[in-house]
Amino acid sequence: MSDEAVAASPAAKKVFVRTYGCQMNVYDSQRMTDALAADGYSPTSEIGDADLVLLNTCHIREKAAEKVYSELGRIREIKAERAATGREMLIGIAGCVAQAEGREIIRRAPAVDLVIGPQTYHRLPEALKRARGGEKIVETDYALEDKFEHLPNTARTEIIKRGVTAFLTVQEGCDKFCTFCVVPYTRGSEVSRPVAQIVAEAERLAEAGVREVTLLGQNVNAWHGEGPDGQEWGLGRLLFRLAEIPGLARLRYTTSHPRDMDDALIIAHRDLPALMPYLHLPVQSGSDRILKAMNRRHTAADYVRLIDRIRAARPDIAMSGDFIVGFPGETDADFEATMQLVRDVRYAQAFSFKYSPRPGTPGAEMKAQIAEDVKDERLQRLQALLMEQQGSFAVSLVGRTIDALIEKPGRQAGQIVGRSPWLQPVILDETAGKIGDIVKARIIRVGKASLFAQPA
Ligand code: 5AD
Ligand code: SF4
């Protein structure tokens, strides 16, 4: 092949992908990267080398959405520099900002060539072709039955081996309509992926050497589908099925809603050793008044009782949660109720945010929005408490022997990094085992964000 032919070959095209927000975006970015590989794009980590820049965006809070526009300012300059040397650069916006803002993005940032929402990724190659022809493309309309189109298609493409852990989307969208949240609007209504597809993808991942799979969904425990036995399965039954796949040693799922934690799922936590003893179960607030205004459809006591039942089934389970401070109308007493709930539950890990009014959600229209300085102060107090709990959970592991799944070489020579059942990185000497092994590790010391261990 001549040099010219190489330069002209589609394999020479490069794509730069940046991902914001949740794990589902991480998963979608990998899928888009795989799909683009079939279209001749190879990934690059240098924006300046990219023929296509794809920002996979998040709309959950204002800060996340605004990041995209500041990033676009920088990318526009790089695009202009490339154009000056006769090289084209297409800019694509994917993810939830794309779905929420659509054509408005191109109005605000005319350098953008393509806007594509999460439900239409299967149309990406076609949309790109048109964008390369000079058209500005906005792809955000979809039919409900399209929703998982992009998944089976890309699942048929070879899985590029990325490591011993993987995400697997089983459910998308949300019908809960919490009054602060954009997800029901950006990701649409709840759709579950069929059992056979999920099992086939999990088997393929296991064959590629994956030892741990995290099932993803905006409301993952609302997943349901018809099992091969003709019965209606929930997430609990699905987890039992996935645990049978040879090689898959660890299962996780995220994110769950308290209303959808059914008995079968709690039984899975009790009876499935492969299901890791870690549960991300957001509560958002500890005040019944605020929970009601948020349309969470449960009380603080319902939540605490639920956790008691889960802990009775699986005593070593570590809890994780999400919290919002400063929701409209939140009084000092409401906030204190959140602090009390945190003390009662004890979290091993948590994420907490200042309420951010999102256009189009009921919360944004509510009176009694809370002043920024009040939100700041509450967030600080809550985070201090959560950090303290996180720290004491880690310290409680010192001296204990735990299982660590070895994932990757450490940052320092001679070290290897594993993961605890509770998601903490575990630093070991590299002689402890090889990547993909599950080893017994005795925790000797707690680091800033990790545990230091010796082979037991
Ligand atoms: N403001 C602040 N936090 C929010 N979250 C969702 N919407 C908002 C908002 N408008 C948080 C919730 C959710 C997590 C993913 O993000 O805690 O569980
Ligand atoms: Fe948003 Fe509530 Fe749905 Fe979670 S359950 S995605 S917070 S609307």
Side-chain angles (χ1 to χ4, degrees):
M1 222 196 283
S2 74
D3 285 347
E4 246 171 19
V6 172
S9 104
K13 285 186 291 188
K14 296 245 185 290
V15 57
F16 173 92
V17 182
R18 175 158 293 162
T19 308
Y20 302 84
C22 66
Q23 285 154 331
M24 191 168 301
N25 270 8
V26 174
Y27 176 89
D28 287 346
S29 287
Q30 290 186 350
R31 292 303 173 167
M32 285 191 276
T33 307
D34 291 353
L36 287 167
D39 213 24
Y41 285 93
S42 59
T44 175
S45 54
E46 276 297 318
I47 296 192
D49 290 342
D51 303 278
L52 169 64
V53 173
L54 206 52
L55 304 183
N56 192 4
T57 62
C58 172
H59 202 249
I60 197 92
R61 286 169 291 274
E62 190 180 358
K63 237 197 207 149
E66 282 306 314
K67 253 189 223 155
V68 176
Y69 288 100
S70 54
E71 184 68 13
L72 274 173
R74 276 193 297 276
I75 296 170
R76 187 188 58 198
E77 284 169 25
I78 301 169
K79 177 171 176 159
E81 281 164 27
R82 275 180 65 100
T85 61
R87 290 175 307 159
E88 194 184 34
M89 175 194 274
L90 290 178
I91 302 179
I93 305 296
C96 292
V97 175
Q99 189 63 39
E101 299 187 7
R103 191 164 296 280
E104 172 68 12
I105 297 174
I106 297 181
R107 204 191 56 76
R108 237 180 111 175
V112 170
D113 301 283
L114 166 71
V115 175
I116 187 158
Q119 283 87 6
T120 48
Y121 290 155
H122 57 288
R123 291 191 228 138
L124 182 59
E126 176 60 32
L128 266 179
K129 201 188 283 171
R130 282 158 54 212
R132 278 195 297 266
E135 216 182 310
K136 295 276 182 190
I137 309 293
V138 179
E139 282 277 11
T140 50
D141 293 339
Y142 61 95
L144 203 54
E145 59 273 19
D146 272 3
K147 205 153 182 177
F148 279 113
E149 267 298 305
H150 62 295
L151 294 173
N153 286 345
T154 51
R156 271 198 292 275
T157 64
E158 194 192 337
I159 289 171
I160 300 166
K161 190 153 163 30
R162 290 193 176 85
V164 294
T165 64
F167 294 129
L168 198 172
T169 293
V170 301
Q171 180 277 344
E172 233 186 301
C174 181
D175 295 336
K176 294 282 189 296
F177 289 92
C178 300
T179 53
F180 51 82
C181 186
V182 288
V183 167
Y185 310 95
T186 55
R187 292 282 176 163
S189 54
E190 268 174 42
V191 179
S192 291
R193 209 171 162 189
V195 176
Q197 255 185 41
I198 296 168
V199 171
E201 187 168 339
E203 282 172 343
R204 220 174 280 121
L205 288 167
E207 279 158 22
V210 166
R211 306 293 324 271
E212 171 179 306
V213 166
T214 302
L215 306 182
L216 294 183
Q218 269 94 24
N219 233 305
V220 72
N221 59 343
W223 179 90
H224 59 96
E226 192 186 319
D229 54 5
Q231 289 187 13
E232 183 72 0
W233 284 16
L235 193 66
R237 289 291 297 274
L238 181 67
L239 285 161
F240 272 96
R241 173 66 188 89
L242 296 176
E244 289 171 7
I245 297 174
L248 282 192
R250 288 182 162 194
L251 297 169
R252 303 178 185 277
Y253 61 92
T254 197
T255 289
S256 297
H257 193 287
R259 290 269 304 216
D260 295 317
M261 285 305 298
D262 63 10
D263 291 347
L265 191 48
I266 296 177
I267 288 170
H269 277 289
R270 187 189 67 193
D271 294 346
L272 267 185
L275 183 54
M276 289 293 101
Y278 179 96
L279 177 60
H280 183 64
L281 194 64
V283 66
Q284 316 295 356
S285 169
S287 153
D288 288 346
R289 219 174 54 80
I290 296 298
L291 286 169
K292 192 161 196 313
M294 286 175 163
N295 190 31
R296 292 290 293 181
R297 294 186 275 176
H298 62 78
T299 63
D302 292 337
Y303 178 83
V304 172
R305 260 196 307 270
L306 174 61
I307 290 180
D308 286 346
R309 283 174 55 218
I310 298 167
R311 281 189 167 140
R314 182 83 202 231
D316 65 340
I317 203 157
M319 292 305 306
S320 162
D322 290 345
F323 298 90
I324 296 178
V325 300
F327 186 79
E330 186 185 73
T331 62
D332 285 340
D334 292 321
F335 175 67
E336 291 308 328
T338 301
M339 294 289 280
Q340 191 53 45
L341 179 141
V342 170
R343 285 185 209 106
D344 292 344
V345 170
R346 286 170 291 115
Y347 288 89
Q349 168 78 268
F351 305 90
S352 47
F353 312 97
K354 288 190 280 179
Y355 172 67
S356 166
R358 308 305 293 128
T361 62
E365 307 297 319
M366 288 179 188
K367 293 194 199 74
Q369 298 285 330
I370 304 301
E372 209 53 32
D373 58 336
V374 176
K375 289 185 198 171
D376 280 331
E377 200 224 290
R378 289 178 185 167
L379 187 67
Q380 257 182 33
R381 282 189 54 207
L382 176 60
Q383 289 189 337
L385 176 60
L386 290 166
M387 286 298 287
E388 190 188 304
Q389 295 191 343
Q390 204 170 316
S392 45
F393 174 68
V395 168
S396 75
L397 297 173
V398 173
R400 282 184 52 192
T401 296
I402 66 165
D403 284 342
L405 168 61
I406 309 233
E407 285 185 3
K408 58 185 180 198
R411 237 176 282 157
Q412 282 175 34
Q415 287 183 341
I416 198 146
V417 186
R419 192 153 310 257
S420 80
W422 309 282
L423 283 178
Q424 298 123 312
V426 180
I427 316 289
L428 285 149
D429 189 89
E430 65 182 354
T431 55
K434 55 183 196 316
I435 290 172
D437 289 349
I438 293 173
V439 300
K440 295 275 176 222
R442 207 170 70 83
I443 308 301
I444 49 173
R445 176 163 75 80
V446 172
K448 218 167 153 202
S450 51
L451 304 170
F452 288 84
Q454 279 170 351

